[in-house]
Amino acid sequence: MIQDSTIMSDSSVSNEPLTLAILGAGAWGSALAQLARYNGHTVHLWSRRLDNSLAESIDSIDVLVSAISMRGVAVTIEQLQTLKLPDKIPIVTATKGLDPDSTLTPSQLWGMGFSDHPIVVLSGPNLSAEIEQGLPAATVVASEDLEAAKIVQQVFASNRFRVYTSFDPMGTELGGTLKNVIAIAAGVCDGLQLGTNAKSALLTRALTEIIRIGTHLGGKTETFFGLSGLGDMLTTCNSALSRNYRVGYGLAKGKTLEQVLTELGSTAEGVNTTNVLIEIAHREQIPIPISWQVYQLLNHQITPQKAVEALMERDLKPEFYR
Ligand SMILES: NC(=O)C1=CN([C@@H]2O[C@H](COP(=O)(O)OP(=O)(O)OC[C@H]3O[C@@H](n4cnc5c(N)ncnc54)[C@H](OP(=O)(O)O)[C@@H]3O)[C@@H](O)[C@H]2O)C=CC1
Ligand SMILES: O=C(CO)COP(=O)(O)O
């Protein structure tokens, strides 16, 4: 029998200290910087607010990591294209969002902007506050270029952060992105105190919905059952640390969206993602009933209570189609 250690060991990837640029010094960029430094790597952390230039930050780096919110991705790619990025280094995208102008994912934008570089998606159940406390967590690094994924795996993997590789960047990225919409619904469910049965039904049907549209967009079914899919959905939908969950919870408690977002004071990607997702679903004719209720709620077209009623009163059907 082949031993697990035989399958896992990989001597082709070196453990030597590397130099990284991490773009985005918000909650996630800072946590990723802490993980890389814990492994002895040098990190140039860049954001608009910090007093360092983008050109200096990418000088002589081995890996580029983007942990910028969705709204900053396209503009940062444009800025980087005017600079000299070291040849062929892996570009890691850790953003969970959809671009409102093109409806593309961050990895698609990076791939179009830097077609000579391997693109690696990093995504999983990774609440930054828990990671910064040193609590154990796991994630996925996915790329069509396995060697690049293995380099990124070595950069971040440690006794507190377990990193798996995957060949499915689209599925990995969409799992982390689409669950933010469902986290808003989960926050509503808990804010309205609908109970554990309702929450389980919501999350289970939401997974079916994510798989329906996620596979249509190119993700693999099994990826959505993994860490970056179901795993991240469970984390985000069950934690008050999640900003998307807090959006839904606040709306259920009668706050306005504007009030909730002001109180959060940081990125809740699910709000923008919902709008873009509905545009994609209409274009591609894919039914996504839970996300549709979230969309109506965020756009002041329905109350939280009416959204629940609408989901409960849909046409009856088999759970699975053959
Ligand atoms: N926090 C978490 O637990 C996790 C977050 N993520 C994802 O990571 C991404 C970032 O989240 P997070 O760090 O929490 O968010 P924050 O709000 O804490 O930080 C956002 C970062 O994006 C930068 N940014 C925003 N707009 C622009 C712009 N127009 N141009 C350049 N930079 C910009 C900000 O720059 P500046 O500092 O200059 O304002 C800041 O560094 C999101 O997509 C999120 O879904 C993924 C996993 C875990
Ligand atoms: O993606 C996350 C955890 O994996 C972070 O969730 P929030 O953006 O909702 O805080």
Side-chain angles (χ1 to χ4, degrees):
M1 196 176 93
I2 300 173
Q3 295 299 309
D4 193 39
S5 59
T6 314
I7 301 169
M8 301 304 294
S9 69
D10 179 17
S11 55
S12 66
V13 179
S14 123
N15 278 326
E16 72 188 46
L18 301 179
T19 302
L20 280 67
I22 298 188
L23 311 183
W28 192 215
S30 304
L32 286 170
Q34 192 197 63
L35 287 169
R37 287 182 180 133
Y38 181 77
N39 283 352
H41 302 296
T42 301
V43 177
H44 304 167
L45 194 57
W46 175 87
S47 100
R48 297 167 305 175
R49 276 179 298 158
L50 298 177
D51 193 20
N52 55 356
S53 78
L54 188 54
E56 277 165 11
S57 305
I58 61 164
D59 186 39
S60 305
I61 55 169
D62 302 299
V63 178
L64 177 77
V65 180
S66 166
I68 293 171
S69 330
M70 190 66 244
R71 67 198 157 98
V73 172
V75 65
T76 306
I77 290 174
E78 273 174 35
Q79 266 180 279
L80 275 169
Q81 283 173 321
T82 66
L83 305 172
K84 182 77 190 90
L85 197 60
D87 282 348
K88 302 201 183 310
I89 59 162
I91 297 178
V92 184
T93 166
T95 304
K96 295 175 177 174
L98 294 170
D99 178 45
D101 296 328
S102 61
T103 73
L104 296 176
T105 68
S107 75
Q108 289 175 315
L109 295 183
W110 283 104
M112 284 185 337
F114 291 94
S115 53
D116 289 344
H117 291 257
I119 309 297
V120 180
V121 170
L122 186 154
S123 193
N126 297 151
L127 293 163
S128 58
E130 293 187 0
I131 287 172
E132 289 205 301
Q133 283 177 58
L135 295 172
T139 204
V140 179
V141 289
S143 180
E144 285 163 8
D145 182 332
L146 184 61
E147 283 312 305
K150 284 181 182 171
I151 291 170
V152 180
Q153 181 181 43
Q154 286 293 339
V155 165
F156 289 107
S158 68
N159 57 359
R160 51 190 268 203
F161 198 59
R162 187 160 172 76
V163 183
Y164 291 86
T165 55
S166 156
F167 272 124
D168 182 14
M170 184 53 72
T172 302
E173 190 171 38
L174 286 173
T177 294
L178 302 183
K179 63 79 194 169
N180 281 337
V181 179
I182 304 308
I184 296 175
V188 171
C189 186
D190 286 355
L192 292 178
Q193 296 180 297
L194 299 183
T196 312
N197 294 334
K199 182 93 174 273
S200 299
L202 174 72
L203 299 193
T204 309
R205 292 308 300 166
L207 185 60
T208 302
E209 182 167 316
I210 287 178
I211 291 172
R212 190 181 305 129
I213 190 146
T215 51
H216 181 86
L217 296 176
K220 295 185 174 39
T221 301
E222 64 267 28
T223 306
F224 296 103
F225 288 106
L227 285 167
S228 58
L230 177 61
D232 202 2
M233 191 166 82
L234 292 177
T235 278
T236 317
C237 293
N238 286 309
S239 175
L241 288 174
S242 157
R243 293 148 308 176
N244 291 291
Y245 173 92
R246 271 149 63 191
V247 167
Y249 193 91
L251 292 175
K253 292 297 178 193
K255 295 184 180 174
T256 64
L257 180 59
E258 294 66 31
Q259 234 179 321
V260 180
L261 293 178
T262 309
E263 282 171 17
L264 272 183
S266 76
T267 309
E269 295 279 21
V271 177
N272 167 64
T273 299
T274 304
N275 292 327
V276 184
L277 175 62
I278 292 302
E279 187 183 334
I280 297 172
H282 277 167
R283 187 182 71 211
E284 306 290 325
Q285 296 283 295
I286 309 284
I288 47 169
I290 298 170
S291 304
W292 172 242
Q293 295 305 324
V294 174
Y295 172 82
Q296 292 193 91
L297 180 61
L298 293 175
N299 288 283
H300 313 287
Q301 294 169 8
I302 200 168
T303 62
Q305 291 80 2
K306 288 281 176 207
V308 176
E309 278 174 34
L311 286 173
M312 292 304 292
E313 290 170 2
R314 297 180 68 240
D315 289 346
L316 297 174
K317 53 171 66 81
E319 185 181 15
F320 300 111
Y321 293 100
R322 287 183 187 279

